[in-house]
Amino acid sequence: MTATTTLTARALLLDMDSTIVNSEAVVERCWRRWAAEQELDADEVLKVVHGRQGWATMAALLPDRPMELNMADNRRMLAQETSDTDGVVPVPGAPAFMAALATLPHALVTSADIPLSDARMGAAGLPMPAVRITAESVSASKPDPEGFLKGAAELGYAPEDCLVFEDSEAGIEAGRAAGMRVVGVGDRAAAFAPTAQVRDLTGIRVEALPDGMIAVHIAG
């Protein structure tokens, strides 16, 4: 018999890539090209990229590289990723999950910018939340908690009343640093000690409670 964990919250904050949208194929294509340009091991690069803005990944991999070069490469790669939606699909269970959230407080908190998040959510056929925190909204990349704190503030809830859905080490660290509980989505998340973990969103059931709380039932 499958055990179920239930977490309650007033609002849900959702990462995008690999949490509700499977864009791994595009991410791998773009970052393997960049790794080859920099003569870096692509497999090692791909261990670092998830959850961060591109410039932050580059700074972590090449700490002595001038930041203006990172920012220029970041703009170029965002354009490449925005135009490349081949293989972008919803994470299993994401359409039903997003439909269940339609009338509930929730926000997208992503390291993508507005054009890239538009492109990927559109390619995956998922509705864009009314509240969206993107790269343009913040001064610091995950694992800094700024994005999640801004998402909570825009929805009008205290950090401790929010539940984060994330797949990456940087994202899970950001959620924890914001004082929030984190549901890890996907196999990668399990290594970073989220509050709870699911293989994909088919393991999630969302229930609106009479007192305005949201119950998130997690099949583990």
Side-chain angles (χ1 to χ4, degrees):
M1 187 149 179
T2 302
T4 300
T5 299
T6 298
L7 300 175
T8 57
R10 294 193 178 279
L12 307 185
L13 302 178
L14 317 175
D15 175 51
M16 181 179 72
D17 292 302
S18 300
T19 300
I20 58 175
V21 173
N22 182 346
S23 55
E24 301 253 344
V26 182
V27 170
E28 182 162 336
R29 281 195 294 272
C30 289
W31 281 98
R32 283 191 180 279
R33 281 197 299 266
W34 184 85
E37 292 169 4
Q38 306 304 320
E39 299 182 344
L40 296 173
D41 183 316
D43 291 334
E44 293 303 311
V45 168
L46 289 168
K47 292 177 182 178
V48 180
V49 301
H50 299 288
R52 291 178 170 85
Q53 292 189 43
W55 61 264
T57 293
M58 296 167 195
L61 291 165
L62 298 171
D64 297 326
R65 190 179 195 231
M67 186 54 75
E68 58 266 27
L69 295 181
N70 294 339
M71 298 305 289
D73 276 3
N74 185 64
R75 289 190 293 271
R76 176 170 60 92
M77 290 184 69
L78 281 171
Q80 290 173 356
E81 291 184 87
T82 300
S83 64
D84 182 359
T85 55
D86 186 27
V88 175
V89 296
V91 165
F97 175 69
M98 296 300 289
L101 297 187
T103 61
L104 302 177
H106 68 289
L108 191 73
V109 181
T110 176
S111 292
D113 64 3
I114 290 171
L116 181 55
S117 57
D118 282 340
R120 287 190 175 160
M121 292 289 280
L126 297 176
M128 182 65 73
V131 175
R132 170 171 43 162
I133 305 299
T134 63
E136 294 93 339
S137 312
V138 297
S139 60
S141 171
K142 298 172 186 176
D144 190 282
E146 181 185 3
F148 286 124
L149 292 171
K150 282 197 167 185
E154 287 211 18
L155 290 171
Y157 294 98
E160 60 268 24
D161 290 330
C162 297
L163 184 61
V164 167
F165 285 74
E166 263 286 1
D167 72 291
S168 69
E169 180 179 17
I172 291 169
E173 287 183 6
R176 279 201 298 257
M180 301 172 184
R181 293 155 298 152
V182 182
V183 177
V185 180
D187 293 339
R188 179 167 53 236
F192 307 117
T195 310
Q197 194 264 340
V198 289
R199 183 180 63 185
D200 57 42
L201 294 171
T202 61
I204 298 288
R205 182 171 66 85
V206 176
E207 179 187 9
L209 300 178
D211 63 358
M213 298 289 284
I214 303 167
V216 177
H217 304 289
I218 303 161

